[in-house]
Amino acid sequence: MVEVTEELIAALKRKAVTLRKHIVRMTHNVQSGHPGGSMSACDIVTALYFHILRVDPKNPTWPDRDRFVLSKGHACPVWYAALAERGFFPVEELMTFRKLNSRLQGHPELGTTPGVENAAGAEGQGLSFSVGLALASRMDHKAWRTYCVLGDGEQDVGQTWEAAMAASKYGLDNLTAFIDRNGIQQEGRTEDIMPLEPLRNKWEAFNWHVLNIDGHDFRQILAAIEEAHRTRGRPTVIIARTVKGKGVSFMENKIKYHGAATSDDELKLALAELEEMEASM
Amino acid sequence: MTAGPWKLESQRSYFGRALVDLGRRNPNVVVVGADTTESLKSIDFGKAFPDRFFQLGIAEPNMISVAAGLAAAGKIPFATTYSVFGSAHTYNVIRQNVAYTNLNVKIFCSHAGLTVGPDGATHQINEDIGLMRGIPRMTVLVPADGPETARAVTAAAGMKGPVYCRFSRTNVPTVTSDQDGFAIGKAHTLRDGSDVTLIGCGLMVARCLEAAQTLERERISARVINLSTVKPLDLATIDRAARETGRIVTAEEHTVVHGIGAAVAAAIAVNHPVPIAMVGVQDVFGESGEAEELLRKYGLTVEKIVDAVHDLVKRGDRRT
């Protein structure tokens, strides 16, 4: 792994602001979609797509590419924004999100969007899908790795834990999972809807290597991924403490912005904040 | 199970052997199981190719999604379990992770229908054909016997895209032979006839053949079609049968609400409406009992097929 320099961190921070601006604009444009959970996962996705993943935008189905699986499919605005910025398709196409005849479906569709690796929407299937990918890579003695981003709401789903058992049974050290632990799901706080804590202990009990980080600190994200790469014989889950709606003050930690877009006035405020942040960098 | 003039054989044994043969020919074939692999005989594949076999426990949704992930990386996974788990229990996982993605996953399930027997209604799924044929991009196979189950394995592996295949726990009469060939999407006419067409799938194909023999003694000439591909439906063969015989009776070990009877009825209603009768499970759950007892109690018999033909004959002649 290359050294984590100040320049790298600054570049990732700038890129994350760009992605957040896309997320706010895309969801505002169609007046639907899920900005909150896209913004909470934004720094994880940025670190992966702009520093970690070996992918080729010119050849999205290159067999030896690393696989990124978005299990929390409703957060696809951040995925589409990252793929566009990485050159998988034109940035202008982002404004077709959720519109008729678009390649950018309301939830990810495999085979339509260049760079998208799985279909998700019904929660709790992505980690199982990732287990299948990781098994295939290992079976073929390949070096490519699988990274899966899950929501914390998805920890409610039984299949997530079926997958957790299977990944540890097969000792899938080529699989790294992130839990975007923003603490909010559609109808409220995760601890009110269905308490998850002690979440770390749950994953440890399932024989995963567990790391707790600040999901908005790029140094911590990159260090955790490096530790996951070094870990042998077990899959790693990185529980990333995040803020729903991160980056726009009035959206942060608001249940409303799980599945609601900004109004015209809010869009102006949001973009002004993000641009101010960009200018200060 | 009564055998009629045929030998009774296990579809699962043919399935297990076919998987091993396929595994030898194609190194990309892998098998996932859910604590039913001895019963399904998919364990035979696991013994022959331990590195390509994954026992995933009683966690069928995970099994289906793992298979999808394997397929996304270029493998040809066979997901094997009982029909009730490989269809109804995993329906939305199949829909989102296998069919919507159009991935190359082959779901092969035994223990379909009433003839699961003493385990009772929880295990006797009579709804899987309808569930699976309703999903876009899904191919649905119902082999009539052991040899056809083996041919279905080869054919499924040879096509790209998702496949659901259901067969029986109980031994069934072997009515096909390897000379018959097998092509997905092609209904096989096992016997020609001009007064009525009997369209069956699975173990009901043998009963259609027996019914045709009974009808022959009454000078009613019955064509028999083995509808081993339920989807895509062989519209040409069904349309020809409607035109040439003017009457159709379907027979299935499945609910008539949305099984092959409903599929055939919809097709002929659009293309060439003729009177149709459906022999099958009548929108009820099954119960514990021996396979043959259950088939009798729920009306899946040769006599019921013959009675249905008599009723249609009374309604007149619609041949063109």
Side-chain angles (χ1 to χ4, degrees), chain B residues 1-2 203-211 292 295 300 302 305:
Chain B
M1 280 289 298
T2 57
L203 56 80
M204 293 305 286
V205 172
R207 291 173 185 233
C208 288
L209 287 167
E210 281 190 74
E292 189 60 48
L295 291 175
L300 277 66
V302 174
I305 298 170

Side-chain angles (χ1 to χ4, degrees), chain A residues 151-266:
Chain A
D152 50 3
E154 277 188 300
Q155 311 299 301
D156 297 356
V157 183
Q159 191 182 339
T160 297
W161 301 99
E162 295 179 3
M165 277 192 276
S168 61
K169 172 180 176 179
Y170 289 103
L172 294 176
D173 52 20
N174 59 353
L175 170 62
T176 305
F178 291 85
I179 298 171
D180 179 9
R181 185 75 173 105
N182 59 37
I184 291 174
Q185 58 194 104
Q186 181 155 307
E187 294 204 313
R189 308 270 157 197
T190 57
E191 298 316 286
D192 296 332
I193 302 285
M194 185 54 68
L196 300 176
E197 296 299 339
L199 188 56
R200 178 190 186 109
N201 304 35
K202 288 188 172 74
W203 283 91
E204 279 173 348
F206 279 72
N207 283 323
W208 282 59
H209 178 52
V210 186
L211 298 170
N212 276 304
I213 63 163
D214 175 345
H216 300 305
D217 181 329
F218 281 108
R219 286 188 183 278
Q220 290 190 36
I221 296 170
L222 295 176
I225 294 170
E226 197 177 357
E227 185 171 332
H229 288 181
R230 280 197 312 265
T231 303
R232 296 278 172 268
R234 280 198 297 170
T236 295
V237 59
I238 300 167
I239 302 176
R241 197 171 58 256
T242 58
V243 174
K244 200 134 184 169
K246 174 73 177 178
V248 174
S249 58
F250 65 86
M251 296 175 80
E252 288 187 358
N253 265 318
K254 293 287 193 313
I255 295 162
K256 174 186 167 188
Y257 293 104
H258 167 83
T262 50
S263 67
D264 292 352
D265 288 343
E266 288 171 333

